[in-house]
């Protein structure tokens, strides 16, 4: 027997997906800033020596974003809400954008 309070609780996969997504996005942003902020600030590529280390360190958070995407899809199959759609959308964008952003940095127009 379910009570009305049971319907207001957020599903566990969605809570885990949200936590994974927010923490991984923060770590990926920090890694991107470590690698590309000196390039933006000075205009030189001296900090690009760090790119192999940053790419290896970014593998874990990127996998966490993929896990958040999967958990968001699992949560959506049971509880289709706007929150699950948001987690799925942000996760999908980050899965596609993060490798390119870490590899290529910023558009050439911002650097020049």
């Amino acid at each position: 027997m379910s009570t009305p309070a049971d319907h207001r609780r957020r599903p566990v996969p969605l809570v885990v997906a949200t936590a994974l997504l927010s923490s991984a996005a923060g770590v990926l942003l920090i890694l991107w800033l470590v690698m590309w902020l000196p390039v933006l600030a000075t205009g030189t590529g001296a900090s690009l020596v760090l790119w192999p280390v940053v790419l290896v360190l970014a593998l874990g958070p990127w996998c966490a974003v993929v896990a958040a995407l999967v958990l968001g899809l699992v949560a959506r199959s049971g509880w289709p809400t706007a929150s699950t759609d948001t987690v799925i959308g942000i996760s999908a964008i980050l899965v596609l954008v993060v490798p390119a952003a870490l590899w290529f940095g910023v558009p050439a127009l911002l650097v020049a």
Side-chain angles (χ1 to χ4, degrees):
M1 178 171 213
S2 66
T3 63
D6 292 337
H7 297 290
R8 288 184 289 203
R9 292 179 41 190
R10 293 181 65 178
V12 173
L14 180 60
V15 172
V16 173
T18 304
L20 277 174
L21 181 61
S22 60
S23 61
V27 170
L28 289 168
L29 178 64
I30 290 170
L31 288 172
W32 186 87
L33 288 172
V34 163
M35 190 159 74
W36 291 104
L37 192 60
V39 173
L40 289 173
T42 63
T44 64
S47 68
L48 295 179
V49 174
L50 297 174
W51 76 263
V53 175
V54 169
L55 290 179
V56 169
L57 291 175
L59 187 59
W62 187 79
C63 289
V65 172
V66 172
L69 177 62
V70 170
L71 285 171
L73 291 170
V74 168
R76 190 172 191 309
S77 68
W79 304 274
T81 62
S83 299
T84 55
D85 292 340
T86 303
V87 168
I88 292 169
I90 293 173
S91 297
I93 289 169
L94 285 178
V95 164
L96 296 174
V97 168
V98 164
L102 285 174
W103 189 265
F104 296 111
V106 295
L109 295 175
L110 294 176
V111 177

